[in-house]
Structure formats: C-alpha cells, structure tokens
C-alpha cells in the first residue's frame, strides 16, 4: 500500500517519524516544514507541536519556539497541553517567570489535576516547596469528590518536603484510611522516618518499598536517605537511576552531581551538569559543578569558555569571578586572574 492509501493517523505517524529522521541528519528546516504541515492540517497534533518545539530549542532557536507556541495558543486557547510545551520553551531560553505563568495558565484551564501537579512539581524544583504544597492543597479541595490517589499522595509528600510534618501527618492519616493497601503508605512512612531523623530505618523501609513501588520519586528519596547515612556510592546509583528514569526530574540532579563530585567521576559530572543546564539554563548548581569538573579533569580552557558563555547569557546574575579566576590560574594566567 502506498502512503496515500493509509488512514490519516498512520500517515501523520509516518510524517512525524520522517521529521525525526530529517532532524537527526541535521536537516532541521526540512523537518520543521514537514511538522508545520502536520500542525496546519491538525492543530491538535500535540506530538507534532512537541517535535517542532524540541527541534527549535535544540537548534538554539528557543525564542522562535516561544513565539510559535504563543501564536498557536492565541488561536486556540483551549489547547491546554500547548501551555506545557510553551513552559518548556520559556525555560530553555531562561525565562523562568514566563514558564511559570504558562504552567499556571494550564493549571487554571485544565479540567483534571495533572496540570496542577505539574505546576507544583515545577515550584518544588524551583526551591519553592511550600508554595507547591499550597497549590496541591487547593487542588485537593477543588477535586475533593474524585478520590484522586495520585494528587492526595503528592500533597502529603510535598508537605513533608516543605517541612510541614504535622500537616502532613494529618493528611497521611486520611490517605491511609482511604487507601490502606496502597504501597505509597509504606513509602510515606519512610518519608516520615527520614523527616524525624531516623535515617537507617528510612533506608530499610525504602529499600523494601522500591521493589513494589518502582518510581523515580521513591528512588530519589532512597538516594537522599543513603547519602545521609554516608553511603555515597549507593546514593549516586539511586540518583542516577532516578535521572535515567525521568531525565526532567530536576530535583535529583544536585544530589547526583554532589555524589559524583565526591567520587571524583569528573566526566560524569560534566555530562550530567550539561544535562541539567538544558533543563535549567541559569542553574548555579549545574554551572558550578560543570566548571569545577572541567578544571579538575585538566581542561581549564573549556571551563573558561563555559564561564564566559554563561556570563554573556545571564548578565543580570552575579558574575562568576571566582570560577573564572580559578580557570585562568589553572592555565598559567595569574595576571589576568588578578585583574578581574
């Protein structure tokens, strides 16, 4: 059968696959033209929109991706999933405020709790855990009649992450009554143990739970418990497993980079810090780890290049003078370092 004889969904799938191959061969413009035709024919083709955004961002054209998605949403404001893509594009160009606004708009317009959970996850990864817990608390009230196990569980976990242990305990008791056989109950018990300083007990419980609840967040908190107990290699393995399962889970990258640095795995630090910078381009944690690793592995010239690029991209952030001074001294250029 020829392509034209196939049903429309199959033709669209073939075109998306062809666009992916074109992009992989470096023919981004040809891939974008093909995807543009797909979204023109079916404005609801989320995968085609996602591919357009990804290709533009990877080509260093994040601003163009933002303009494209903003225009699409002006034409179809009910297409709530596009707000999530817009948030990713805004993050890629370093505009965290615009990314958050897109996520809030999506959460407001979406009928289910998934978009609210994504917003709370973003707030958590931005270090605003208490705000994330408040957003989830409002959502629990908003969807009170729906018995949303994922939302209720996430709310308890976020309260614990925010250090609101007593509020978390109250919500946990309700969760346990509603879902007594759910393996998340034991996971949350381990989180309480960790919050109360019972690290070894938390390690034991999480090690048992992860065999039944094989989720990135469980691996992450097992990594946290292992690191607190002094098991750096075990923690590095679990942080790495978390990131491999969910490369977008920003919260696990600092722990992964921290443990890799302690193990002296400089090539891995470079790789994962660059991965984190793709998700959070202005992250001082990832940037600091990257420059330290480049200097430690004997490539201070690369470190200097990264430092100057970072300073040029984010002129409003504090200048990385110490890192640049170290890179220059490592290249035998002390006079330039002193002149900074």
């Amino acid at each position: 059968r020829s392509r034209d004889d196939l049903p429309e969904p199959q033709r669209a799938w073939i075109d998306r696959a062809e666009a992916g191959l074109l992009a992989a061969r470096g023919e981004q413009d040809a891939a974008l033209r093909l995807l543009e035709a797909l979204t023109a024919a079916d404005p609801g083709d989320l995968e085609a929109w996602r591919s357009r955004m990804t290709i533009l961002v990877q080509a260093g054209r994040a601003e163009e991706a933002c303009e494209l998605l903003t225009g699409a949403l002006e034409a179809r404001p009910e297409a709530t999933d596009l707000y999530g893509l817009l948030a990713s594009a805004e993050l890629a160009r370093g505009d965290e405020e615009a990314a958050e606004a897109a996520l809030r708009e999506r959460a407001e317009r979406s009928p289910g709790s998934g978009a609210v959970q994504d917003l709370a996850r973003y707030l958590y990864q931005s270090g605003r855990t208490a705000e994330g817990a408040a957003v989830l608390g409002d959502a629990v009230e908003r969807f009170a009649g729906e018995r949303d196990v994922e939302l209720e569980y996430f709310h308890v976990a976020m309260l614990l992450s925010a250090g609101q242990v007593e509020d978390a305990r109250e919500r946990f008791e309700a969760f346990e009554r509603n879902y007594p056989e759910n393996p998340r109950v034991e996971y949350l018990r381990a989180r309480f143990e960790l919050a109360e300083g019972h690290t070894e007990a938390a390690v034991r419980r999480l090690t048992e739970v992860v065999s039944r609840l094989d989720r990135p967040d469980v691996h992450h908190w097992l990594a946290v418990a292992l690191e607190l107990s002094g098991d750096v290699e075990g923690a590095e393995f679990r942080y790495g497993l978390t990131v491999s399962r969910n490369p977008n889970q920003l919260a696990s990258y600092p722990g992964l980079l921290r443990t890799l640095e302690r193990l002296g795995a400089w090539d891995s630090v470079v790789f994962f810090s660059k991965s984190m910078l793709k998700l959070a381009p202005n992250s001082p944690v990832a940037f600091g780890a990257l420059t330290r690793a480049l200097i430690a592995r004997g490539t201070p010239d690369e470190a200097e290049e990264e430092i100057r690029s970072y300073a040029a991209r984010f002129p409003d952030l504090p200048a990385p003078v110490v890192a640049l001074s170290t890179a220059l001294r490592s290249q035998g250029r002390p006079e330039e370092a002193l002149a900074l």
Side-chain angles (χ1 to χ4, degrees):
R1 296 172 66 184
S2 71
R3 175 192 174 283
D4 292 340
D5 293 331
L6 295 172
E8 178 57 33
Q10 291 185 28
R11 293 202 303 272
W13 185 92
I14 291 170
D15 287 344
R16 286 195 296 270
E18 183 179 348
L21 291 172
L22 288 167
R25 293 202 299 263
E27 300 178 47
Q28 282 88 357
D29 288 339
L32 288 168
R33 284 194 296 271
L34 187 54
L35 292 166
E36 183 179 2
L38 282 172
T39 53
D42 179 8
D45 189 339
L46 181 63
E47 289 308 311
W49 283 111
R50 191 189 311 279
S51 296
R52 289 181 75 181
M53 185 272 292
T54 300
I55 292 170
L56 287 169
V57 166
Q58 290 177 346
R61 297 158 62 183
E63 188 164 348
E64 186 178 340
C66 293
E67 292 173 358
L68 172 71
L69 290 163
T70 299
L73 281 163
E74 287 174 354
R76 297 180 65 244
E78 76 281 1
T80 53
D81 285 332
L82 293 185
Y83 285 104
L85 297 182
L86 176 59
S88 297
E90 294 288 6
L91 282 176
R93 72 168 178 173
D95 193 336
E96 295 181 3
E97 185 176 337
E100 182 179 334
L103 289 172
R104 288 188 180 277
E105 189 71 24
R106 178 174 176 240
E108 183 67 27
R109 290 176 176 272
S110 296
S113 72
V116 178
Q117 293 181 53
D118 286 343
L119 172 60
R121 198 170 287 111
Y122 170 80
L123 293 169
Y124 168 66
Q125 292 173 346
S126 301
R128 295 153 60 190
T129 310
E131 285 185 61
V135 164
L136 291 172
D138 290 342
V140 168
E141 298 302 320
R142 176 180 165 191
F143 300 103
E146 298 188 15
R147 291 291 294 270
D148 190 330
V149 60
E150 191 67 27
L151 175 61
E152 294 172 46
Y153 148 77
F154 193 15
H155 186 212
V156 178
M158 188 71 82
L159 287 168
L160 282 166
S161 296
Q164 300 174 28
V165 179
E166 291 310 311
D167 289 341
R169 196 177 304 282
E170 181 181 342
R171 292 288 184 173
F172 171 69
E173 289 171 358
F175 183 87
E176 186 179 19
R177 285 195 302 272
N178 291 335
Y179 314 103
E181 303 302 320
N182 194 301
R184 292 175 179 83
V185 170
E186 285 302 299
Y187 163 72
L188 290 170
R189 288 189 192 281
R191 291 288 308 276
F192 278 106
E193 289 171 336
L194 201 55
E196 293 162 355
H198 306 307
T199 305
E200 297 299 334
V203 168
R204 288 193 298 272
R205 194 183 298 271
L206 286 166
T207 301
E208 190 278 327
V209 168
V210 78
S211 64
R212 296 183 291 125
L213 194 62
D214 186 11
R215 294 167 47 113
D217 50 345
V218 181
H219 286 286
H220 170 83
W221 285 100
L222 177 53
V224 172
L226 288 167
E227 187 178 7
L228 288 171
S229 73
D231 185 352
V232 179
E233 290 185 356
E236 182 274 324
F237 172 75
R238 292 293 174 176
Y239 282 129
L241 193 58
T242 305
V243 167
S244 69
R245 296 284 182 84
N246 183 5
N248 295 323
Q249 185 155 317
L250 270 172
S252 295
Y253 280 91
L256 177 59
L257 294 174
R258 189 169 54 246
T259 51
L260 286 169
E261 284 197 69
R262 291 181 64 183
L263 295 170
W266 302 117
D267 288 342
S268 294
V269 174
V270 169
F271 176 83
F272 285 110
S273 59
K274 287 184 175 181
S275 298
M276 185 177 179
L277 284 168
K278 289 179 182 177
L279 299 172
N282 61 351
S283 166
V285 171
F287 171 72
L290 175 61
T291 55
R292 288 191 298 273
L294 288 170
I295 292 169
R297 77 173 187 181
T299 53
D301 54 329
E302 289 184 47
E304 180 188 354
E305 183 179 341
E306 292 287 350
I307 293 164
R308 293 191 186 280
S309 173
Y310 183 87
R313 288 185 68 194
F314 305 107
D316 295 335
L317 295 179
V321 175
V322 174
L324 182 55
S325 174
T326 303
L328 292 171
R329 289 177 185 279
S330 298
Q331 296 176 75
R333 296 155 62 188
E335 295 83 2
E336 293 178 59
L338 287 170
L340 293 174

